[in-house]
Amino acid sequence: MIRALVALLLLVLAGATAAHAVDAVPVSDTAPFTDLRPRVEMYTDQLGDLRVSTAPDLDGVVQRIEVRATNPETRHWAVIGLQNPGDEQIDRLMVAPHHRLANSGVLNPDLGDERIVAITPSEGFPPTRVASADADVFLITLDPGATVTYVLELTTPQLPMLRLWEPGVYRDSQNAYTLFKGIVVGISGLLALFFLVVFVIKGSMMFASAAVLAWVAFGYVLIDFAFLGDVLSARLSNEAVLRAFAESMLVLALAAFLISYLNFTRWRVRNAYALFAMVPLAAVAGWLASNDPVLTASIARCALAGVAGLGLIAILISAIRGHDRAILILPTWLLLIAWIVGAALTLSGEIDNDFVQPALNGGLILLVLLIGFTVMQYAFAGATIAPSLAKDVERDVLALAGAGDIVWDWDVSRDHISCGAEAEHRLGLDRGELQGPPQDWFAVLHPQDRDRFRATLDAIVDRRRGRISDLFRFRGVDGHFRWFRLRARPVIGSTGEIIRCVGTLNDMTEAKTSEERLLHDSVYDNLTGLPNRHLFLDRIEMARAWSNESTAQRLFVVVVNPDDFSEINDTYGQSVGDSVLLTMARRLGRILKRHDSVARLSGDSFGLLIYQDPAKIEEFIDKVRETIGAPIQFADREMSVKVSLGIAGIDLKAESAAELLDNAELALRRAKRQGGDRGEVFDPLMRRLNMSGRSLARDLKRAITEDKVKVQYRPIRDLMNDRTVGYEAMPSWHHPLQGPLNWAELLEVAAHEGMAVQLALATLERSAQTLAEWRAGGKALSLLLTIPVPDAFRSELVGDVKTVIARNRLDAGALQIGIPESIVTDNPEFAAQLLSRLRDVGAGTWIVDFARRTTALPNLHRLAIDGIRFDEHLTAAGEGIRRQKMLSALFAMATALEARVMVGGVSTMREATDLHALGARYAVGSAFGRLVTAQAAPTLAVEHAAAAAE
């Protein structure tokens, strides 16, 4: 009795320190497999040996066994009991897959590995390991009526699945899956190879990214199906590292494909660079997978969902904008999201069956196949030119080549621009620098033109129509920019898609430089380079706008004018006078402070805008007089210039900047009347004393409005046929107090009120109406109107003259515009452009008062003129052989330029005869009669229209 109690006590104590006995799983000889995982007891983190109780046998006897680990580092165990209730021996395969996607998890996933190191039975022979690449398989034999407890030595704390298979059924199952896996692997391999070949042939980065995605999917399938070890003829040491790396590469390849396909990086970096960025990212993923595969897989699985979601948003936005690529890929991307949802359900264990993992791999390959078909459909759909356009395009290309223009060709599908080598040569670039994707042009484009260039190309592709005609600046190797005009149009493919954009690239640098020079000359003086009167008034207005009561008291407008400049011109000549003006401009510039401004207002007047202490104005006047009055060395001579100054403060209550400048000019006139070589500050009394002049301007304004300006006509005589062939309009106005004012005086008064342009246009319209009446009466006369004020010659004058000619239905050349030589001399570039455009709209063009200033001679050949009227002072210079030779040479020069020759101031018929002998064709003057009215002019003119047209 005592011994029995001791044995019972030892049994209780043993049960307190050892594991409880497991329940035996009966093994049926008819079931194809038995799922053992729910009946397995897991023992984790138990280093060393394991003591367990066996499963009760058929008699209910429980034994204790102690299992020694085959690997000293073993920490994890599993125990399962099997029982054969039959009377026949049973052979079964115990199978534990290395990796099982179902329920593997998203965060800290189970990536699989070798699960079972060894199996120790409680009795009988140890199970035999059966070779397998993707599972731990052991052959187990159970004797009739035997109950055996098996202790499994594990490498991981997880045992996702443990099944007991009938050997024949297991082989059939594996063979079936092997066939399916082989088909999927074969398709993925062929697909990857096919995309690689297409990329080599087509050369588009879109195919490159598709090929990379296909090869990554192929590698992923090889790893997941455990075929990679068979391919390499070796067992892989760490499947978890490879699986984590494959999943991360799948995310990178999918992101790279989306970026390349939607062309996100087109205007930032090359698509090739975006694809090459996978190399360092792949290296980082490989390093991270080798160190922490679980973390790598967690990041990859979360990132896959992020790439799919962001990709869907980008595709939808692009599709809404009408991008064809996005519309084509949208169905496939939706299938990809459905695949990711299925994979997520599998990872979380919501879907758990034997076929889901191979099915997901097959779905992945199907998605890659659909992506490939989408890429090919887009790339090859519009690759051919529509038959109706093929011949036209061929003819246009030949015409471009024959014309010698720089051919510009943009292959839209490849996103590659081909440009003629002439453009690279003009910019000094190496061969091929302008050949490549459009974003490569950003390196040579002006920063302000890059966005416009990008928007222009995008607009052509988005709208599928239109033309490109725009100017762009390109930087050469010398750092200077050249202007090129890009003219191109899209070429439509057979499916309506734009496949190319072809055109020309023309160098417009010289034309643009001339245009910029004209714009510069419109606000800057041609001789000194200083701002002109218009820009100076703008600066005064700006100073008024930024001033307050305090600062306005220190702002002054100063007008500086030499007292004896006309004597310098008469004594030394025009060139010396110009040199004196340049010297004055430089000396005034040295006097001024940083915030002051200087401008040339007119021929010999300069304007200053200064910020000065009012108490030091006298000091400033003396400084200007001393600086300008310093001797000027000219050859072996020395001259001094005395100047007068008019100064006016900034009045914030003034109506305009012109009034402030007028105040300074009034002060200047006061200084001149006081003897010159002094300065005067404006006083309101000066304005009251000058009211008579202001009254004259107001009267003229009323006369223009009421059409009281009188226009008479001076005959233009054809010296060859001795006939009057036209008239010159001579406007005048008789003021009740001031008396008669001629045309030049009229315009000078009008200029003070800013009405010179209005007066000139009103007179031009009136002259055109008179000319139309003459020609309607059968008199083919011409009419010349001289406009002697520079203000009228602006770009808008062309449109005004065109309107006048069209409104009165005048023939080309009937209405003639006379332009003084001085205006041509002051701005030759603008004059050349203006004269050419005036002739284009149907006006005749004459240079009048020629030879009063000789500086127009260098630019004479560039001017589009119908004739030249020589100054009357030249024709009345006296008798003598030298005078005759000079006039003959001047007339011959005009004839060589295909310009008609007219002389002015002819007072006698003998003088007219002599001038005709020297080469003059037309003449005006008192010798041919007095001024006549518009009604009398036709009756005195020639009856033959042919004479007037010559």
Side-chain angles (χ1 to χ4, degrees):
M1 178 64 68
I2 296 175
R3 295 181 61 184
L5 290 175
V6 172
L8 180 60
L9 181 60
L10 291 176
L11 182 59
V12 172
L13 292 175
T17 58
H20 297 286
V22 297
D23 295 330
V25 179
V27 180
S28 172
D29 57 354
T30 60
F33 71 88
T34 303
D35 189 3
L36 303 179
R37 183 62 185 85
R39 308 292 293 274
V40 172
E41 289 191 0
M42 299 294 297
Y43 300 91
T44 58
D45 293 329
Q46 293 195 16
L47 186 63
D49 301 341
L50 178 69
R51 291 180 297 168
V52 297
S53 299
T54 63
D57 58 13
L58 294 176
D59 297 329
V61 177
V62 177
Q63 300 179 357
R64 289 190 304 122
I65 61 173
E66 181 178 356
V67 180
R68 188 179 301 276
T70 60
N71 186 345
E73 297 181 357
T74 297
R75 302 174 59 89
H76 312 296
W77 307 81
V79 179
I80 182 70
L82 300 179
Q83 187 178 78
N84 181 5
D87 54 1
E88 293 184 1
Q89 181 176 300
I90 297 176
D91 292 329
R92 290 291 186 267
L93 295 176
M94 184 178 290
V95 180
H98 291 169
H99 174 257
R100 193 166 185 269
L101 188 64
N103 205 24
S104 61
V106 176
L107 300 177
N108 298 320
D110 179 11
L111 298 178
D113 205 344
E114 183 180 9
R115 302 291 183 175
I116 304 175
V117 178
I119 298 178
T120 303
S122 60
E123 61 180 50
F125 294 101
T128 305
R129 181 183 287 274
V130 179
S132 177
D134 58 349
D136 295 321
V137 182
F138 292 87
L139 178 60
I140 295 175
T141 302
L142 292 176
D143 295 328
T147 300
V148 182
T149 300
Y150 295 93
V151 179
L152 285 62
E153 187 177 343
L154 306 179
T155 60
T156 63
Q158 297 89 12
L159 188 61
M161 177 179 287
L162 184 65
R163 286 182 176 178
L164 200 64
W165 286 85
E166 197 281 323
V169 175
Y170 181 73
R171 284 193 297 270
D172 293 341
S173 174
Q174 291 300 105
N175 290 337
Y177 281 124
T178 301
L179 177 62
F180 174 78
K181 293 177 181 179
I183 293 173
V184 172
V185 170
I187 293 175
S188 62
L190 290 175
L191 192 62
L193 185 61
F194 173 74
F195 284 147
L196 180 60
V197 173
V198 172
F199 163 66
V200 173
I201 295 174
K202 191 70 176 176
S204 173
M205 285 299 104
M206 186 165 49
F207 282 104
S209 60
V212 170
L213 179 61
W215 280 102
V216 169
F218 176 58
Y220 178 83
V221 170
L222 284 178
I223 294 172
D224 199 61
F225 284 165
F227 280 12
L228 187 59
D230 297 337
V231 172
L232 300 177
S233 299
R235 178 172 177 80
L236 301 176
S237 59
N238 197 334
E239 295 180 7
V241 172
L242 291 176
R243 196 176 305 279
F245 178 69
E247 291 182 2
S248 60
M249 287 300 299
L250 186 62
V251 176
L252 291 176
L254 189 63
F257 166 76
L258 185 64
I259 293 172
S260 176
Y261 179 79
L262 293 180
N263 223 3
F264 284 149
T265 60
R266 171 171 142 202
W267 297 113
R268 298 168 182 84
V269 295
R270 289 190 182 185
N271 284 334
Y273 296 159
L275 195 60
F276 292 154
M278 282 189 61
V279 177
L281 291 176
V284 172
W287 174 83
L288 186 61
S290 62
N291 287 276
D292 194 341
V294 174
L295 176 61
T296 305
S298 300
I299 295 173
R301 293 182 180 187
C302 294
L304 182 62
V307 169
L310 294 176
L312 179 62
I313 295 174
I315 291 171
L316 289 176
I317 293 175
S318 299
I320 292 173
R321 293 179 178 176
H323 294 173
D324 296 329
R325 294 189 180 191
I327 296 173
L328 288 174
I329 200 67
L330 182 57
T332 303
W333 204 262
L334 292 176
L335 290 177
L336 173 64
I337 292 178
W339 180 86
I340 292 176
V341 171
L345 293 175
T346 302
L347 293 175
S348 62
E350 297 294 330
I351 300 177
D352 188 359
N353 56 62
D354 293 342
F355 187 70
V356 64
Q357 185 169 345
L360 287 175
N361 287 335
L364 175 62
I365 300 305
L366 177 62
L367 287 171
V368 174
L369 182 62
L370 291 176
I371 288 174
F373 284 163
T374 303
V375 171
M376 292 179 61
Q377 179 183 2
Y378 177 80
F380 292 106
T384 59
I385 300 176
S388 59
L389 296 177
K391 293 184 179 180
D392 292 340
V393 173
E394 181 181 358
R395 182 173 60 251
D396 292 345
V397 171
L398 291 175
L400 290 175
D405 291 339
I406 302 173
V407 178
W408 183 87
D409 179 17
W410 178 31
D411 188 338
V412 178
S413 61
R414 295 175 56 222
D415 203 26
H416 183 277
I417 292 178
S418 299
C419 185
E422 179 65 20
E424 296 167 339
H425 175 71
R426 295 188 183 185
L427 294 172
L429 303 175
D430 295 334
R431 177 66 175 168
E433 288 196 45
L434 292 181
Q435 319 293 324
Q439 68 265 22
D440 282 4
W441 285 43
F442 281 6
V444 295
L445 275 172
H446 193 283
Q448 297 179 359
D449 293 345
R450 293 172 183 171
D451 289 340
R452 186 157 45 87
F453 178 73
R454 174 174 55 197
T456 299
L457 298 191
D458 286 342
I460 284 290
V461 175
D462 293 342
R463 294 199 303 261
R464 305 183 188 177
R465 65 181 183 274
R467 293 175 181 267
I468 299 175
S469 181
D470 209 341
L471 283 169
F472 299 101
R473 287 165 288 182
F474 292 81
R475 185 179 63 240
V477 294
D478 57 356
H480 293 89
F481 286 91
R482 297 187 68 87
W483 289 86
F484 284 86
R485 179 174 293 279
L486 175 60
R487 299 179 184 269
R489 69 172 185 177
V491 178
I492 309 300
S494 57
T495 60
E497 300 294 330
I498 293 180
I499 60 175
R500 304 187 87 87
C501 197
V502 183
T504 60
L505 202 64
N506 295 321
D507 192 347
M508 303 295 293
T509 305
E510 294 184 3
K512 196 65 179 177
T513 301
S514 299
E515 180 181 342
E516 291 176 349
R517 187 182 299 117
L518 290 175
L519 293 174
H520 179 274
D521 291 345
S522 66
V523 292
Y524 287 91
D525 177 58
N526 191 44
L527 175 64
T528 62
L530 296 176
N532 62 13
R533 187 184 190 93
H534 299 291
L535 186 55
F536 186 65
L537 288 172
D538 183 71
R539 291 183 176 179
I540 296 175
E541 192 64 44
M542 186 180 298
R544 291 181 63 210
W546 284 95
S547 297
N548 53 34
E549 293 292 341
S550 176
T551 57
Q553 295 178 3
R554 303 174 67 90
L555 281 171
F556 296 91
V557 178
V558 183
V559 179
V560 181
N561 184 267
D563 296 332
D564 50 0
F565 188 73
S566 59
E567 296 180 7
I568 295 175
N569 275 337
D570 294 341
T571 304
Y572 300 103
Q574 182 72 38
S575 60
V576 176
D578 290 345
S579 298
V580 171
L581 292 176
L582 285 171
T583 302
M584 290 182 62
R586 287 194 296 268
R587 290 180 176 181
L588 288 173
R590 289 196 294 267
I591 294 174
L592 300 183
K593 300 176 183 177
R594 184 165 57 94
H595 297 293
D596 297 340
S597 180
V598 59
R600 186 184 179 192
L601 303 180
S602 60
D604 56 356
S605 292
F606 294 87
L608 306 177
L609 180 61
I610 62 173
Y611 188 77
Q612 185 70 39
D613 185 354
K616 297 182 178 180
I617 285 296
E618 292 294 335
E619 182 181 336
F620 176 78
I621 294 174
D622 294 338
K623 186 175 182 180
V624 172
R625 291 176 53 247
E626 293 174 2
T627 303
I628 301 298
I632 301 175
Q633 196 72 27
F634 175 69
D636 57 347
R637 301 180 182 180
E638 193 177 80
M639 66 181 71
S640 297
V641 179
K642 296 180 179 180
V643 295
S644 298
L645 291 84
I647 304 173
I650 295 293
D651 184 3
L652 299 180
K653 298 180 181 179
E655 294 182 1
S656 64
E659 181 178 338
L660 297 177
L661 183 58
D662 191 39
N663 292 342
E665 290 176 340
L666 285 176
L668 175 67
R669 288 196 288 272
R670 172 69 178 233
K672 293 282 188 180
R673 287 195 296 268
Q674 296 293 331
D677 193 20
R678 59 183 293 130
E680 288 287 339
V681 179
F682 173 77
D683 187 277
L685 180 62
M686 298 179 185
R687 175 69 63 189
R688 291 195 293 271
L689 294 176
N690 195 57
M691 285 303 293
S692 60
R694 302 290 289 181
S695 176
L696 178 65
R698 285 196 299 269
D699 291 342
L700 175 61
K701 192 176 198 178
R702 186 168 54 253
I704 295 173
T705 305
E706 298 175 359
D707 198 18
K708 291 183 178 181
V709 176
K710 181 181 180 181
V711 181
Q712 293 179 299
Y713 302 92
R714 182 166 64 178
I716 298 177
R717 197 73 170 179
D718 183 348
L719 300 180
M720 178 179 291
N721 299 313
D722 194 22
R723 295 168 178 170
T724 299
V725 295
Y727 287 91
E728 180 180 8
M730 303 295 293
S732 62
W733 176 47
H734 192 281
H735 189 268
L737 299 178
Q738 301 289 338
L741 298 175
N742 60 28
W743 183 224
E745 293 170 338
L746 268 175
L747 288 174
E748 182 180 357
V749 174
H752 281 285
E753 286 296 304
M755 298 174 56
V757 175
Q758 179 184 350
L759 176 60
L761 291 179
T763 307
L764 183 66
E765 177 68 32
R766 184 173 173 183
S767 301
Q769 293 174 356
T770 302
L771 178 60
E773 294 174 359
W774 292 348
R775 297 179 74 87
K779 301 295 183 178
L781 298 172
S782 62
L783 184 61
L784 172 65
L785 175 65
T786 298
I787 305 178
V789 290
D791 291 346
F793 292 94
R794 65 207 195 288
S795 300
E796 292 81 358
L797 178 63
V798 177
D800 296 333
V801 172
K802 181 179 179 180
T803 302
V804 169
I805 293 175
R807 183 185 298 123
N808 294 279
R809 300 181 179 180
L810 298 177
D811 296 333
L815 181 63
Q816 300 174 349
I817 308 296
I819 303 175
E821 180 197 18
S822 59
I823 295 177
V824 176
T825 302
D826 291 340
N827 202 333
E829 291 287 348
F830 179 75
Q833 295 282 342
L834 183 65
L835 288 168
S836 176
R837 294 175 63 189
L838 285 173
R839 289 189 67 181
D840 291 341
V841 300
T845 53
W846 284 76
I847 295 181
V848 299
D849 299 336
F850 187 78
R852 181 173 293 182
R853 295 175 65 178
T854 57
T855 52
L857 286 175
N859 301 292
L860 197 60
H861 67 283
R862 303 168 54 193
L863 306 177
I865 54 176
D866 295 302
I868 300 175
R869 188 175 74 186
F870 288 84
D871 183 56
E872 59 186 16
H873 295 89
L874 177 70
T875 57
E879 301 292 340
I881 299 299
R882 298 184 66 183
R883 170 182 176 274
Q884 294 179 0
K885 289 182 178 180
M886 179 188 67
L887 291 178
S888 178
L890 290 174
F891 295 162
M893 174 195 67
T895 304
L897 295 174
E898 299 181 356
R900 288 176 282 182
V901 178
M902 182 188 299
V903 291
V906 179
S907 57
T908 64
M909 294 304 298
R910 179 181 176 183
E911 186 178 348
T913 302
D914 293 341
L915 291 170
H916 176 59
L918 294 175
R921 175 67 184 274
Y922 303 95
V924 292
S926 60
F928 309 113
R930 58 182 176 81
L931 298 177
V932 297
T933 63
Q935 292 75 19
T939 62
L940 301 176
V942 64
E943 297 293 336
H944 302 287
E950 292 180 359

